Amino acid sequence: MKFVFKFKIIAVFIALFLCLVMLIYYLKLLENSNVDINSPLFKRTQIKSNKAIQTHFSPNITERIVHLDLKGAPPKLSYYSQLFPLLRKMGATGVLMGYEDMFPYSGTLENISSLNAYTLADVKEINNLAKQNRLKVVPFIPLLDNMDFLLKLEEFIDYREVQNFPSVICPSYNKALELLETIIDQVLDAHLESEIIHVGCNAVPHLGRCDRCSNRIITQKLKKNQLFLGHIHVVTAMIKRKRPSIQVLVWDDFFRTADPNEIPADSVNASFQPVVWWYGKDVYDELGPSLWNLYSHIFPNLWLASAYKGAIGSYKYISDANHYIQNHKSWLSIMDEYHSKINFQGIILTGWQRYDHFAVLCELLPVGIPALAMSLRLLQGYQDSALGPPLEVAKMLQCEQPYGLMGTAFGSPKCKFPGGDILEYLNHFHQLDQEISELLEDPQVKGWLSDYNTASNFSNPTVVKVALISIDEIKAELEVVKEQISHSMLKIYYAHTVQEWLATYLEPVEKKVLHLWEAKHRILERTVWPRGPLIDAL
């Protein structure tokens, strides 16, 4: 009898222990998912959750265009033959090719091209590979702002809207318009089968500041909004003369604050279609009901733009998959709410590689592929488990550890998709980087291994030995990871990209580790120290 009673007590304790483990796991999952339970999106999701399980909204959106930003880390041509079949398998219907200075301009534009730009034969091969995989090719050429790839050059200084800022081209300079038309001609000639083109044109706060624009505003009695809209009509007309049937896309943010009475709806809809972009977790935070009601009256057709990478910080090299998944779930809520009022033509999943030509590289393409795959599944109406790992994506990307796709806190996914080894090694480096950061913040390191201590080789050897007991192992591991990253990246990227990435992210960490490692060995070699004050002994 006593044995049975003891057995029941033990069983109860085991059950309680298992419940506690499950509770800790669930709390850890929420902690690492970065879900803000007070956000409007979370509350709306909770309210609609029971309904969503039964009737998940399946968007009637035919185009899912994946953006490839080539102004940073352009892949080798050989990678496209691996990438495009994977994109098609994920559910993409096209690619937005942001060539910028990777396009092989010729004639008077030859100096615009990067020294390692693709050739026309390369562009033709990319187009052919896309066609073989049933992917539309959409050229993306900025024709007003984000033109630093061109305006940074000395020969185009006079083309700038603001002399010291090489980003925006002057829309009132005849030579600038001639330049843009030449760019359009060359890009369209290299994309004979493209049916859509994106010309950028974000809202420009300092438009109208140059003398030419100022004089034009005065003489023609224009408002700045009219100057902006007029430029869009000019470049659109250039494109339509070259290819009348092509569809022209522009970013929408100008229209968010414009006076609706100043937007001639008929001419706008006939010449271009806006792309409404937002990359945050909750689209409603920025783009509320008033905007959608406005757009429903002005634009019968709209495109959307989400993000699968490049939207969590200009210097982030590891993805936050939850951020991008929440972004797409939020866009689905928008489409669900307004699909009866607005014809959503398609969605562009942006993947910025650097924020402008002067910024560092952010998440590399292979790092963003898991979030891209999960986002594309959402856009196709698939309803994966909210709490479990993305098993279907793991299968598609040949990942051994599905939980690893949810974030580095769950380990590495160990994927074998093209470029998966880059993801693996960058995750490894990220974990090592965090370990090194914790070491640098250790009270013993900060208290006994300051720059003053290490410069004078003056510290307590007992403390130094304990504080830096792992530095030899860390240094050796970092050397291995550096070699692994270099080797894996060279399969996909050119050497200059590998060098830039290492110089931006790994080598600064390497210098800190080497500094501590050298200081440790110098200090531990000492057996005597000078009398104070120490400053006289330096």
Side-chain angles (χ1 to χ4, degrees), residues 516-535:
L516 288 179
W517 182 82
E518 291 175 343
K520 170 190 172 181
H521 288 278
R522 288 197 311 268
I523 291 169
L524 294 184
E525 286 174 358
R526 298 194 72 162
T527 55
V528 295
W529 292 266
R531 294 189 300 171
L534 188 61
I535 195 70

Side-chain angles (χ1 to χ4, degrees), residues 58 94 101 105 171 204 216 264 273 304 309 327 344 352 376 390 419 438 444 522:
S58 182
D101 62 348
Y105 297 104
V204 181
R216 185 177 164 199
Q273 293 182 4
L304 307 176
K309 77 180 191 73
N327 174 248
F344 295 110
W352 301 104
L376 282 168
E438 291 173 4
Q444 290 183 317
R522 288 197 311 268

Side-chain angles (χ1 to χ4, degrees), residues 323-382:
H323 178 101
Y324 298 114
I325 292 168
Q326 292 301 325
N327 174 248
H328 286 89
K329 286 183 176 180
S330 185
W331 275 119
L332 283 170
S333 296
I334 293 287
M335 286 185 268
D336 186 15
E337 188 169 347
Y338 293 101
H339 71 278
S340 61
K341 297 180 180 179
I342 299 173
N343 180 23
F344 295 110
Q345 296 282 90
I347 186 167
I348 298 170
L349 296 88
T350 64
W352 301 104
Q353 190 53 77
R354 55 168 113 241
Y355 283 21
D356 63 32
H357 275 261
F358 300 96
V360 299
L361 297 169
C362 48
E363 305 122 282
L364 295 173
L365 180 56
V367 173
I369 280 181
L372 174 61
M374 288 184 272
S375 299
L376 282 168
R377 279 187 64 79
L378 285 171
L379 294 173
Q380 293 171 85
Y382 292 108

